[in-house]
Amino acid sequence: MSRTPEGPAPRAGVTSGARPPGVTEREHQRSGLSELRDYRAAFSAAALPMAVVDDRGHVVRANDALGCLLGADPAALVHRPAAELVGLTSDSSTWRAYSEVLSGERQQLRCTLRLKHADGRPLWAEVTVVPMGEPAAGTGRALLSLADVSDRRELRERLRHLRIHDPVTRLPNRTLFFERLTGALETGPLQEGPAAREGRIGLCYLDIDGFKAVNDTLGHRIGDRLLAAVAGRLTDCAEAGAHRTGGHLVARMGGDEFAILIEDSAGTHQLTELARSVLTALQRPFDVSGTRLSVSASIGVVERASAGTSATALMQAADTTLYWAKADGRARWTLFDPERNAHRMTRQALSSTLRPAVERGEFTLEYQPLVGMADEVVRGVEALVRWNHPRFGQLAPSRFVPIAEEDGAIVELGRWVLRTACRQARRWQLEHPDERPLFISVNVAVRQVWDSDLVADVAEILAETGLDPRLLQLELTESAVMGSSGRPLRVLQALSDMGVRIAIDDFGTGYSNLAYLSRLPVSVLKLDGSFVRGFRYEDGAHPSPADETIVEAMVQLAHRLGLTVTAECVETSGQAERLRRIGCDTGQGWLYSRAVAPERIAELIGTRPQEG
């Protein structure tokens, strides 16, 4: 029920006024009575329901229109409390304002009330109460009138319905969804006293897999009809699941996204059951205008206590969980996982601070020796980047390099790694002029080849540091170089022509198409550690003859093509001995050394690393 008390309004009534000059007292009185009769006649004949009430609120006089509205003879309404007749007692604030008008403390009351006409139809009436004349407090009368505003009210309700409902599916839209969500979150504990329990809220947030293809191929008309059919099945699922607890709202959030809000969740099991039923319902084919369509849905499921949860936080969790469902393969539901979300938040934190971290000098390089298998003397080192994060501590490349590759920060970071590594290699060379100089091996991401002028960067850094190009080795993954053509192949060829060595990292895990090796400017193959691990004798494990055969074949082929071979992840002397016998040129792994600071590498130059 809506009530709208308002402020001052002109006073109404009949006053005697002063006698005009030249008019006798009798004539003046006769004129006043005639005017009063005219007023009463107008009052009785008025189409607007009205009543005159005294200072106690009792009806003094009612017109025919009011009698018709209430289904009573106007004379029968006299002496009855007007407030009870029109519902002014239903709300304390309205009753108080009405009483103040009667007592002369307020100049007007205007409110909107829902009434019932004598013929049974409901109506909305705007009720106005104003004092009559200039009464002393507690001695005056007031005029009560009612205006039927049902049409206006209905129009407003219709406009509101259009504003909060989706025209395609007729479901509540995003606006109404958030109104209901906000209201549900503001609700306190359910029940009162010892029986009170914590209110919980649940949300299934979904979008339709494959909907864009339907729109693009069959047109928006079919797409809209499909959305309407989906809405019907979602509503059926929600109604079937709401028979126990109620409070389910199905809304179209926009596009092909829908939400099912459970305002009084019984727990995670209720949400997951609902999600399963939705998946099952949507996987049944749709018949849309004679066209048979099959779609599925990805659903993010969130369930938590209402207390302490905001609408924004709940929707962020739902959106994240929906993204997981789609990333995990679609046509499935995924439950919100705080631990997985924490990892995502950490990833976002790393992504947002990665570029500034290069400028702040938070990255350092460690170096792992590459040892000659024949004499076990250090021949070179691989530069491995570390991030000394102020919040998360030292991070290995696996934690941040994939992020850097995704957002393009790898170009700037890779340039810094290359310059720092070449500068360090040149410093070792100058500090140990009598020893054979170490070559430096640096990893290069695919985006560095595509998104930067890698050839120009390498040439500039070599000129700046004075490092011989033959002492620089660039490592690219097998999947990055196999099948290379166009720009990548031209880049690799230009670097090779410059004297830089190109190595294929993790060889044997990607395409393993050896035919490409004949046309790529590659100098080194680095065998993936998974092959080397099959060589173990230790811990009761038996070496894999197949791994040894594969490695031996790859080494022989590489040597025939003029390539050298480096074995990664060499951890035991048994592995080293077998690799040496097969013909591997260099080895890298914990048997020789972990990645260490540059000072430790300086101690190893010209020596054999101590095993362990």
Side-chain angles (χ1 to χ4, degrees):
M1 182 178 294
S2 172
R3 288 160 292 275
T4 317
E6 295 186 357
R11 302 198 177 200
V14 178
T15 60
S16 59
R19 177 163 56 90
V23 177
T24 66
E25 181 66 28
R26 188 179 189 85
E27 289 173 333
H28 180 59
Q29 291 177 352
R30 193 174 294 160
S31 173
L33 290 173
S34 175
E35 184 178 354
L36 181 60
R37 282 195 296 270
D38 290 342
Y39 274 120
R40 286 179 174 175
F43 173 85
S44 298
L48 192 69
M50 292 186 291
V52 177
V53 298
D54 61 20
D55 59 345
R56 295 178 302 163
H58 293 162
V59 175
V60 175
R61 183 180 184 87
N63 70 355
D64 292 342
L66 182 62
C68 180
L69 171 67
L70 299 178
D73 187 294
L77 300 177
V78 176
H79 303 309
R80 293 185 62 181
E84 293 181 3
L85 294 175
V86 297
L88 290 174
T89 59
S90 60
D91 178 81
S92 60
S93 61
T94 302
W95 169 254
R96 184 168 54 253
Y98 173 63
S99 301
E100 289 173 354
V101 172
L102 297 181
S103 64
E105 300 173 31
R106 187 185 184 95
Q107 293 187 4
Q108 184 188 57
L109 164 67
R110 179 174 293 163
C111 62
T112 303
L113 301 174
R114 186 172 179 84
L115 304 178
K116 189 174 183 179
H117 196 279
D119 61 12
R121 60 185 172 88
L123 62 85
W124 286 95
E126 184 178 78
V127 180
T128 303
V129 183
V130 294
M132 298 177 64
E134 299 289 342
T139 63
R141 294 181 176 184
L143 178 66
L144 180 149
S145 62
L146 295 89
D148 187 345
V149 293
S150 299
D151 291 344
R152 186 171 64 192
R153 182 83 179 202
E154 182 181 346
L155 176 60
R156 187 164 67 232
E157 291 296 326
R158 189 158 55 244
L159 292 175
R160 170 172 165 75
H161 185 275
L162 292 174
R163 184 177 66 83
I164 61 176
H165 285 79
D166 171 54
V168 174
T169 63
R170 302 183 184 276
L171 290 177
N173 63 12
R174 191 178 189 89
T175 300
L176 180 54
F177 171 83
F178 275 102
E179 285 183 10
R180 286 279 294 271
L181 174 59
T182 302
L185 291 174
E186 290 174 351
T187 302
L190 303 180
Q191 301 179 11
E192 298 289 342
R197 64 181 178 87
E198 180 185 53
R200 301 190 67 82
I201 195 162
L203 179 62
C204 290
Y205 193 47
L206 64 134
D207 77 359
I208 309 305
D209 303 325
F211 178 74
K212 185 177 184 300
V214 173
N215 251 358
D216 292 346
T217 57
L218 301 178
H220 290 277
R221 184 176 65 87
I222 296 297
D224 286 350
R225 292 183 178 180
L226 174 60
L227 289 175
V230 167
R233 293 192 187 179
L234 293 179
T235 301
D236 291 343
C237 291
E239 290 177 352
H243 69 277
R244 293 185 302 273
T245 60
H248 287 32
L249 174 74
V250 182
R252 183 187 178 196
M253 305 298 284
D256 62 340
E257 293 185 353
F258 296 83
I260 304 177
L261 177 67
I262 295 84
E263 297 181 66
D264 181 17
S265 170
T268 301
H269 67 281
Q270 181 189 11
L271 272 294
T272 55
E273 283 182 13
L274 177 59
R276 289 191 187 96
S277 69
V278 167
L279 284 180
T280 301
L282 297 185
Q283 285 171 350
R284 298 196 309 269
F286 290 85
D287 186 351
V288 181
S289 299
T291 302
R292 188 178 176 86
L293 299 173
S294 294
V295 296
S296 61
S298 298
I299 308 175
V301 180
V302 183
E303 200 276 343
R304 59 180 56 174
S306 301
T309 297
S310 67
T312 300
L314 188 69
M315 292 307 299
Q316 285 178 341
D319 189 61
T320 296
T321 313
L322 172 58
Y323 170 80
W324 292 343
K326 298 185 81 67
D328 291 345
R330 303 189 176 193
R332 68 189 63 217
W333 60 268
T334 299
L335 185 64
F336 181 75
D337 180 356
E339 184 175 341
R340 184 174 180 179
N341 187 58
H343 177 75
R344 179 185 68 89
M345 297 297 289
T346 300
R347 184 181 177 88
Q348 288 180 344
L350 294 179
S351 178
S352 63
T353 57
L354 203 154
R355 291 178 187 271
V358 178
E359 301 174 2
R360 290 194 297 263
E362 294 177 6
F363 291 96
T364 58
L365 292 185
E366 292 183 346
Y367 302 88
Q368 187 170 31
L370 296 162
V371 178
M373 300 296 291
D375 56 11
E376 295 188 343
V377 173
V378 178
R379 301 298 182 191
V381 293
E382 179 181 352
L384 299 170
V385 64
R386 304 286 188 263
W387 185 357
N388 295 316
H389 196 281
R391 176 181 172 188
F392 302 113
Q394 188 177 82
L395 303 178
S398 60
R399 291 288 303 278
F400 60 86
V401 167
I403 301 174
E405 289 178 339
E406 286 180 10
D407 66 10
I410 193 65
V411 173
E412 182 181 358
L413 178 59
R415 191 179 292 121
W416 176 87
V417 170
L418 183 62
R419 176 175 282 107
T420 304
C422 288
R423 186 180 292 133
Q424 182 61 65
R426 179 59 175 160
R427 183 178 299 118
W428 285 324
Q429 185 180 8
L430 295 175
E431 292 175 353
H432 303 272
D434 298 330
E435 301 291 344
R436 179 178 176 177
L438 300 180
F439 71 85
I440 187 80
S441 190
V442 179
N443 291 280
V444 174
V446 177
R447 289 196 70 162
Q448 289 177 261
V449 178
W450 281 101
D451 297 353
S452 68
D453 193 342
L454 183 61
V455 176
D457 288 344
V458 170
E460 177 186 336
I461 290 171
L462 290 176
E464 174 189 315
T465 60
L467 185 68
D468 188 330
R470 292 172 297 179
L471 296 178
L472 175 61
Q473 175 175 292
L474 298 180
E475 297 186 19
L476 291 91
T477 61
E478 179 186 350
S479 58
V481 298
M482 290 303 178
S484 292
S485 60
R487 178 181 173 85
L489 182 57
R490 291 194 299 271
V491 169
L492 296 180
Q493 190 61 60
L495 292 169
S496 180
D497 293 343
M498 192 186 298
V500 175
R501 293 193 294 180
I502 306 298
I504 300 178
D505 196 14
D506 300 330
F507 186 77
T509 60
Y511 295 93
S512 300
N513 190 334
L514 301 180
Y516 283 115
L517 296 179
S518 62
R519 66 183 185 87
L520 288 174
V522 176
S523 304
V524 181
L525 297 184
K526 296 189 71 176
L527 298 181
D528 186 71
S530 60
F531 294 106
V532 177
R533 292 189 188 98
F535 285 22
R536 293 179 67 97
Y537 278 106
E538 291 77 3
D539 304 325
H542 296 284
S544 169
D547 282 345
E548 183 172 347
T549 301
I550 292 171
V551 171
E552 185 174 5
M554 287 193 291
V555 170
Q556 290 177 0
L557 177 60
H559 286 168
R560 286 181 178 273
L561 294 174
L563 309 178
T564 61
V565 179
T566 298
E568 298 180 305
C569 300
V570 182
E571 298 178 355
T572 69
S573 56
Q575 291 172 326
E577 176 58 33
R578 292 168 68 79
L579 290 166
R580 186 182 301 113
R581 188 171 66 249
I582 287 173
C584 282
D585 301 285
T586 54
Q588 176 182 3
W590 289 1
L591 173 66
Y592 307 114
S593 175
R594 299 172 182 263
V596 295
E599 296 78 15
R600 177 58 183 148
I601 296 297
E603 300 171 6
L604 299 176
I605 293 177
T607 67
R608 297 172 59 181
Q610 183 179 356
E611 295 184 4

